[in-house]
């Protein structure tokens, strides 16, 4: 179980709902993943002619907690307004806050992110900020009232995995009591397992499942990887060493003269 703002969720895998070949494939993947939380963009729900209504009804039928996001927002005002609209549409105070500062990498604008987080927390939102592994920004977000931080593993949709493991480990060490979720850049299940082995509380991904040849099978693979990584972390794995150490003791071994 993982705790998000006082809500216990059984699965440590969070799944996005964009980019799938069809809504039916998306629903099959979510079911196979066992994800207890799915992210949804307001833009999908607010499509012209309310065409997003059928999509929203399908999401409700999945039985997962909905985490609306402010994907595509580049300014504080745009992100705050989108969050306010999402609360009305989806009926939840949860919001995955994205304020994009650079188009090529989709890197978060940390200054705008902190400002938007402060505004939304003051309005009663439970903010899940999409951030980097920057420790100073993380501290400011926590001070603003964020109880969850979502550092990227790599740029969104890149599939590069954990490009800065040192930074991610440092964040885990500096914020032991904050719920941390690796978000973005995960490409294969081993990336997710590695994040969990570091002690992260959960992993959020979308493209790696949606763009797989068999999204449902890949979703299941990620669910198993997240579970294995968490069990490994709780088992207190051995530390790496520079020198070899025999697994079979030398003492008692027969020596021929």
């Amino acid at each position: 179980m993982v705790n998000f703002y006082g809500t216990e969720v059984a699965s440590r895998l969070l799944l996005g709902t964009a980019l799938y070949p069809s809504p039916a494939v998306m629903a099959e993947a979510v079911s196979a993943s066992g994800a207890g939380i799915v992210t949804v963009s307001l833009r999908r729900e607010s499509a012209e002619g309310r065409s997003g209504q059928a999509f929203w009804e399908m999401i409700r039928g999945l039985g997962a907690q909905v985490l609306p996001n402010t994907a595509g927002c580049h300014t504080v005002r745009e992100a705050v307004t989108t969050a306010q609209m999402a609360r009305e549409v989806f009926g939840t105070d949860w919001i995955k806050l994205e304020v994009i500062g650079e188009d090529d990498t989709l890197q978060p604008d940390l200054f705008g992110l902190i400002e938007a987080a402060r505004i939304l927390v003051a309005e009663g939102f439970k903010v899940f900020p999409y951030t980097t592994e920057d420790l100073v920004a993380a501290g400011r977000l926590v001070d603003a009232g964020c109880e969850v931080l979502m550092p990227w593993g790599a740029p969104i949709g890149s599939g590069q995995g954990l490009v800065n493991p040192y930074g991610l480990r440092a964040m885990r060490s500096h914020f032991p009591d904050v719920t941390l979720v690796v978000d973005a850049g995960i490409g294969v299940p081993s990336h997710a397992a590695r994040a969990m082995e570091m002690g992260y509380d959960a992993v959020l991904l979308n493209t790696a499942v949606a763009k797989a040849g068999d999204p449902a099978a890949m979703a299941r693979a990620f669910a198993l990887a997240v579970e294995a990584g968490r069990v490994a972390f709780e088992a207190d794995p051995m530390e790496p060493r520079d020198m070899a150490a025999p697994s079979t003791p030398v003492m008692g071994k027969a020596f021929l003269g």
Side-chain angles (χ1 to χ4, degrees):
M1 302 287 283
V2 59
N3 187 292
F4 295 105
Y5 288 100
T7 298
E8 295 287 342
V9 179
S11 174
R12 295 177 181 272
L13 177 61
L14 288 67
L15 201 61
T17 56
L19 303 177
Y20 290 88
S22 70
V25 171
M26 180 274 295
E28 185 181 7
V30 171
S31 177
S33 74
I37 297 175
V38 294
T39 61
V40 179
S41 171
L42 177 67
R43 287 169 172 77
R44 186 73 174 268
E45 171 63 14
S46 302
E48 184 179 354
R50 299 293 290 173
S51 60
Q53 187 62 38
F55 175 80
W56 177 221
E57 292 299 328
M58 176 175 285
I59 291 294
R60 286 198 228 214
L62 296 175
Q65 179 92 17
V66 172
L67 176 60
N69 64 44
T70 63
C73 293
H74 287 74
T75 67
V76 172
R77 181 177 181 181
E78 186 180 12
V80 169
T81 300
T82 301
Q84 293 166 339
M85 294 172 63
R87 179 159 60 181
E88 294 299 318
V89 171
F90 298 109
T92 177
D93 290 329
W94 284 18
I95 190 72
K96 181 191 171 189
L97 179 61
E98 298 183 30
V99 183
I100 300 302
E102 206 282 320
D103 288 334
D104 289 335
T105 63
L106 300 180
Q107 180 169 330
D109 172 357
L110 298 180
F111 304 100
L113 182 69
I114 295 165
E115 182 181 349
R118 287 188 179 127
I119 294 170
L120 292 173
V121 169
E123 293 185 5
F125 281 91
K126 296 175 175 60
V127 179
F128 296 63
Y130 166 61
T131 183
T132 69
E133 65 277 21
D134 186 285
L135 297 180
V136 177
R140 296 285 192 275
L141 289 166
V142 172
D143 290 343
C146 298
E147 298 179 14
V148 178
L149 298 177
M150 306 182 79
W152 66 351
I156 294 172
S158 68
Q160 295 184 39
L162 311 183
V163 297
N164 185 7
Y166 169 81
L168 291 172
R169 288 193 192 95
M171 180 173 280
R172 179 70 284 177
S173 178
H174 278 71
F175 300 97
D177 300 321
V178 176
T179 301
L180 299 181
V181 182
V182 171
D183 174 21
I186 299 295
V188 291
S190 59
H191 295 159
R194 188 179 185 192
M196 300 305 296
E197 289 167 359
M198 289 181 181
Y200 274 74
D201 296 288
V203 170
L204 192 160
L205 54 97
N206 188 169
T207 308
V209 168
K211 292 299 186 179
D214 185 338
M218 186 61 76
R220 176 60 178 154
F222 270 106
L224 293 171
V226 167
E227 181 180 356
R230 183 63 187 185
V231 172
F233 169 73
E234 292 176 343
D236 191 17
M238 66 174 285
E239 293 292 331
R241 60 203 310 171
D242 294 329
M243 301 295 291
S247 57
T248 302
V250 175
M251 185 170 291
K253 181 179 177 180
F255 289 92
L256 301 178

